[in-house]
Amino acid sequence: MTEASEPLQTSEENPFEVSSTRLRWWGALRVVGTLAFVGAVLVGAVTFVQPDRDEAFGWVTVVIGNWVPSPLTAEVVLLVAGTGAFLTAMLFVPCPPERPWRELRIFIAVVLAGAVPLSLFVVADGSNYSVLPEQSEGGCRIVVREYSFFLLGEGSVGIVQPGSVTVDWLRGYLGDDGYAPFSRDTYTLDWHGKTAALSVFGSPNGDAAWFAEQPSITCIR
């Protein structure tokens, strides 16, 4: 049955006839938009209470090529998807007829209106991840996490073994005045076979130093 031949629905407040096909699309798009916004809130919640501060997504950090997906990336994608779904629904049915559960929908909208900006703030204040360009002959790569907040600067260094897409975190550093040595290119990395010699140092704008323990950075091949 085509859209033109399907029964039409109207409401007293909306004199325009709306096909049932458009109503189904309207409902589906609103569900997609709501789930996307709920997902964005969950990303912010996981970022806030994540059990391991080093990991990008609470329990794991994934590397795709030279790109490390971050909670901020996921947050932006979900917010764009949710906004796009709701805008598309408005274009399909600008003035839909009255639907059931109106009070519940209003309550969910109010909760999301407050939770989504808070979630975005939490995620935007998170760490930055990057893959250093130097890699070993066997294909090992070094991933760094940097975090700066006013006078606080700290971060971690991990390794991605050949054939793996997850990071094994090995050591951390502290930076004065929020200093981020890898973003400012104040580091040296040299591979000696399977072992990496990595050093961080400061500049007139700040300083960085390793924690007391410095486990070796060793590749499996």
Side-chain angles (χ1 to χ4, degrees):
M1 182 179 292
T2 63
E3 180 177 327
S5 61
E6 290 181 342
L8 300 177
Q9 302 182 25
T10 61
S11 70
E12 295 180 357
E13 297 180 356
N14 181 14
F16 299 99
E17 295 181 338
V18 179
S19 71
S20 59
T21 299
R22 285 196 173 190
L23 283 177
R24 286 195 296 270
W25 273 105
W26 176 81
L29 287 168
R30 288 176 66 91
V31 170
V32 170
T34 301
L35 291 177
F37 285 147
V38 170
V41 173
L42 291 177
V43 170
V46 171
T47 302
F48 183 75
V49 301
Q50 61 183 8
D52 190 335
R53 184 172 179 79
D54 289 337
E55 304 292 1
F57 290 97
W59 296 269
V60 66
T61 302
V62 177
V63 179
I64 303 174
N66 290 323
W67 176 53
V68 182
S70 67
L72 181 58
T73 303
E75 187 87 359
V76 170
V77 169
L78 289 170
L79 291 180
V80 170
T83 302
F86 277 109
L87 289 177
T88 305
M90 293 173 60
L91 293 176
F92 264 96
V93 185
C95 298
E98 189 68 24
R99 308 293 286 177
W101 304 101
R102 182 172 181 271
E103 292 78 8
L104 178 60
R105 296 199 311 275
I106 293 176
F107 173 76
I108 294 175
V110 171
V111 171
L112 289 177
V116 168
L118 180 61
S119 174
L120 183 60
F121 173 79
V122 170
V123 171
D125 189 45
S127 300
N128 295 319
Y129 295 84
S130 59
V131 180
L132 300 184
E134 304 88 352
Q135 64 177 348
S136 71
E137 294 181 359
C140 282
R141 292 169 294 165
I142 302 297
V143 177
V144 298
R145 178 188 67 84
E146 296 178 292
Y147 177 79
S148 298
F149 184 75
F150 289 105
L151 300 180
L152 171 65
E154 58 93 13
S156 306
V157 174
I159 188 171
V160 180
Q161 300 287 355
S164 176
V165 294
T166 59
V167 180
D168 294 322
W169 297 103
L170 299 175
R171 61 170 69 171
Y173 74 88
L174 288 175
D176 294 335
D177 300 326
Y179 192 74
F182 298 100
S183 295
R184 295 179 179 269
D185 201 29
T186 54
Y187 74 93
T188 59
L189 172 58
D190 297 303
W191 285 96
H192 303 284
K194 299 180 181 179
T195 303
L198 178 62
S199 300
V200 294
F201 50 92
S203 71
N205 297 322
D207 195 10
W210 297 115
F211 290 144
E213 297 183 2
Q214 298 186 37
S216 62
I217 303 176
T218 304
C219 188
I220 59 176
R221 64 185 183 194

